[in-house]
């Protein structure tokens, strides 16, 4: 039996508040990353469409650059959606973030300076696997 000092509605404990605060900061971090990656994808795509031809004469490399920007933009939007639809799913958010960084980032570097960034060749498919893993993690 409760006395008059026992509240009818339990208050949240500091650990519950801390978990909520951490969860919100993670969600905000992924939201911010999605926005930054989305904005940079638009800028990179514009550069690829207008400025890249001056340094890279190969149309196939320019197309690869455009594909990387396209994937980055799509997955930026997916990261934003995942942040709202499944805020507890850090695995999906981490995989999308890593995938965009590795896949698109390695393609950009390899197109801009293939000799210097040759070592990034194996990173591109790993980034693609992370993007696929993000979709699977989001599904479950």
């Amino acid at each position: 039996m409760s006395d008059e000092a026992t509240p009818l509605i339990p208050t949240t404990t500091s650990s519950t508040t801390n978990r909520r605060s951490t969860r919100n900061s993670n969600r905000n971090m992924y939201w911010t990353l999605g926005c930054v990656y989305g904005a940079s994808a638009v800028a990179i795509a514009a550069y690829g469409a207008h400025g890249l031809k001056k340094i890279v004469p190969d149309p196939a490399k320019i197309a690869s650059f455009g594909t990387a920007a396209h994937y980055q933009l799509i997955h930026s939007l997916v990261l934003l959606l995942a942040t709202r639809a499944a805020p507890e799913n850090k695995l999906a958010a981490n995989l999308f973030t890593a995938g965009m960084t590795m896949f698109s980032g390695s393609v950009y570097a390899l197109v801009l300076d293939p000799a210097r960034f040759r070592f990034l060749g194996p990173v591109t498919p790993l980034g693609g696997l992370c993007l696929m893993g993000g979709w699977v993690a989001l599904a479950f």
Side-chain angles (χ1 to χ4, degrees):
M1 188 168 275
S2 64
D3 61 17
E4 290 181 27
T6 306
L8 294 174
I9 300 172
T11 58
T12 59
T13 63
S14 62
S15 66
T16 303
T17 304
N18 287 341
R19 276 182 284 175
R20 285 184 188 154
S21 175
T22 301
R23 184 176 36 207
N24 287 338
S25 73
N26 284 339
R27 181 173 32 201
N28 290 337
M29 178 190 67
Y30 291 121
W31 182 264
T32 301
L33 275 171
C35 291
V36 168
Y37 273 35
S40 63
V42 173
I44 290 168
Y47 173 72
H50 302 290
L52 191 60
K53 293 174 189 172
K54 294 174 186 171
I55 0 176
V56 179
D58 185 358
K61 287 185 179 183
I62 293 172
S64 293
F65 199 88
T67 298
H70 185 118
Y71 273 53
Q72 182 179 337
L73 182 59
I74 288 171
H75 288 91
S76 297
L77 294 172
V78 172
L79 181 58
L80 294 174
L81 175 68
T83 300
R84 294 299 179 216
E88 301 294 322
N89 195 336
K90 292 180 202 165
L91 178 60
N94 282 327
L95 286 168
F96 285 131
T97 303
M100 284 186 281
T101 303
M102 290 191 297
F103 179 82
S104 295
S106 65
V107 172
Y108 299 145
L110 287 165
V111 167
L112 291 171
D113 195 346
R116 182 175 177 195
F117 295 108
R118 179 176 300 259
F119 69 94
L120 289 177
V123 173
T124 307
L126 291 175
L129 286 173
C130 286
L131 293 174
M132 288 185 274
W135 283 101
V136 171
L138 191 58
F140 298 104

